[in-house]
Amino acid sequence: MDDKKTDLETTEVVAPQETNTAKPSKKSHKKRNIFLILISVFIILPILVAGWLGFVPGLSNILGANKPRDLGVRYTEADFQSYQKKSGTSFKDFANSPVSPTNSSKKTVFADPKTVENLKLSQEELTAAINSTGWLWMPIKNAQIRLTDNTVEVSGNLNMKYMNEFINFAGGVGYSDADVEKAVSWGNKFVGNAAVYVKANASITNDVVSFSLSEVQVGRFSVPMDIAENVLSTGATNSVNRTSNLAVTSAKPVAGGLEFTGTYPTTIYVKH
């Protein structure tokens, strides 16, 4: 018998090595899913809250935070025409404004004063006027004004794009220009055209503004009363004092309207 071994006999058979193909346990999957859920909550929840409050413009529209509070005041073009007829007021393009008679370096904004006693304008007429003047710097859009005895309510959307111009036009709101610019810049980024609601007891006697706030909301965020009161009362006072041809003997809200005694400009030039 030949001592040689056949090739089959001399071939070394190598056993295949085992590979680690074990699937992750259900327990590790569960831990990972819980982690991802927590991360999602920590990221998404603040965004949703900010959107609900009105501070994420696109999301706020979806969540309804930019929808103004409905005060139930409806107006038509006839109300604006009635406002103009009763008050004798007309709004003209500032581009065609004549030079100011008191300052040749400036143009006229308020002209043609008229004195009245107990002029009453309805809340519908005032709402129509604020929405129909076409003033580029108007600080509020989609406005409604509701008036009861001694109480004023205003709702609408902030016009942040021209808020700086309006504040400068009004004469300031009790804070430095630098602080106002920072606040407006922040507002443009995070608030946009958020809904706003203001409720106050207000009146004017001999050009002195009496103002007591009861509620201010931007989006769904309640503004601290001390800050809101300072801004709104200072702004209102400056507006009254800086408006040419305006002298208010008495202006007060009554049920469904405003009663005014005094002098006011009947021609107003506004930027379009």
Side-chain angles (χ1 to χ4, degrees):
M1 186 174 179
D2 190 351
D3 291 336
K4 275 187 177 182
K5 294 183 180 179
T6 65
D7 289 342
L8 182 59
E9 291 176 314
T10 58
T11 300
E12 183 179 357
V13 178
V14 179
Q17 294 184 357
E18 294 184 1
T19 57
N20 186 12
T21 58
K23 294 182 179 179
S25 67
K26 291 184 178 180
K27 189 173 182 180
S28 63
H29 270 304
K30 187 175 181 181
K31 287 182 178 179
R32 183 191 65 188
N33 291 340
I34 291 173
F35 174 74
L36 291 175
I37 290 170
L38 289 174
I39 290 296
S40 299
V41 169
F42 283 129
I43 292 173
I44 295 172
L45 188 58
I47 294 174
L48 289 175
V49 171
W52 184 80
L53 288 171
F55 298 148
V56 182
L59 187 58
S60 298
N61 287 331
I62 296 171
L63 296 177
N66 282 358
K67 185 177 181 180
R69 187 179 300 192
D70 187 0
L71 304 182
V73 179
R74 304 289 181 263
Y75 72 93
T76 65
E77 176 61 26
D79 291 307
F80 183 49
Q81 292 173 1
S82 176
Y83 166 85
Q84 290 181 300
K85 184 176 180 180
K86 277 184 174 180
S87 65
T89 303
S90 62
F91 298 92
K92 298 183 179 181
D93 192 340
F94 183 74
N96 301 322
S97 171
V99 173
S100 169
T102 58
N103 189 337
S104 59
S105 65
K106 294 185 176 181
K107 298 179 76 173
T108 298
V109 178
F110 304 103
D112 303 324
K114 177 181 180 179
T115 300
V116 297
E117 186 172 349
N118 294 327
L119 170 67
K120 185 173 180 180
L121 297 168
S122 73
Q123 58 190 14
E124 289 79 13
E125 290 167 337
L126 293 169
T127 296
I130 201 171
N131 286 299
S132 305
T133 63
W135 187 28
L136 190 66
W137 295 352
M138 183 68 74
I140 188 172
K141 296 179 178 181
N142 306 317
Q144 291 184 49
I145 300 172
R146 183 163 64 190
L147 302 168
T148 56
D149 288 337
N150 300 316
T151 302
V152 180
E153 291 177 89
V154 180
S155 73
N157 291 103
L158 290 173
N159 180 16
M160 290 302 303
K161 186 175 181 180
Y162 295 103
M163 191 60 70
N164 246 336
E165 289 83 351
F166 170 76
I167 291 172
N168 289 332
F169 175 81
V173 290
Y175 290 89
S176 69
D177 290 344
D179 286 340
V180 169
E181 285 184 12
K182 287 179 183 177
V184 172
S185 176
W186 183 89
N188 273 315
K189 291 178 182 177
F190 300 106
V191 176
N193 296 325
V196 63
Y197 171 75
V198 178
K199 184 177 182 180
N201 290 333
S203 62
I204 304 174
T205 303
N206 296 324
D207 292 335
V208 177
V209 178
S210 175
F211 207 83
S212 178
L213 283 171
S214 55
E215 187 177 357
V216 178
Q217 281 193 333
V218 176
R220 290 191 176 94
F221 175 73
S222 294
V223 180
M225 285 296 99
D226 56 338
I227 296 174
E229 186 122 13
N230 181 54
V231 168
L232 293 175
S233 65
T234 302
T237 298
N238 288 342
S239 294
V240 169
N241 293 336
R242 286 169 58 94
T243 300
S244 305
N245 299 310
L246 177 65
V248 183
T249 302
S250 173
K252 60 182 180 180
V254 295
L258 175 75
E259 285 187 353
F260 180 93
T261 296
T263 301
Y264 60 91
T266 57
T267 302
I268 302 173
Y269 294 92
V270 298
K271 280 185 175 290
H272 290 130

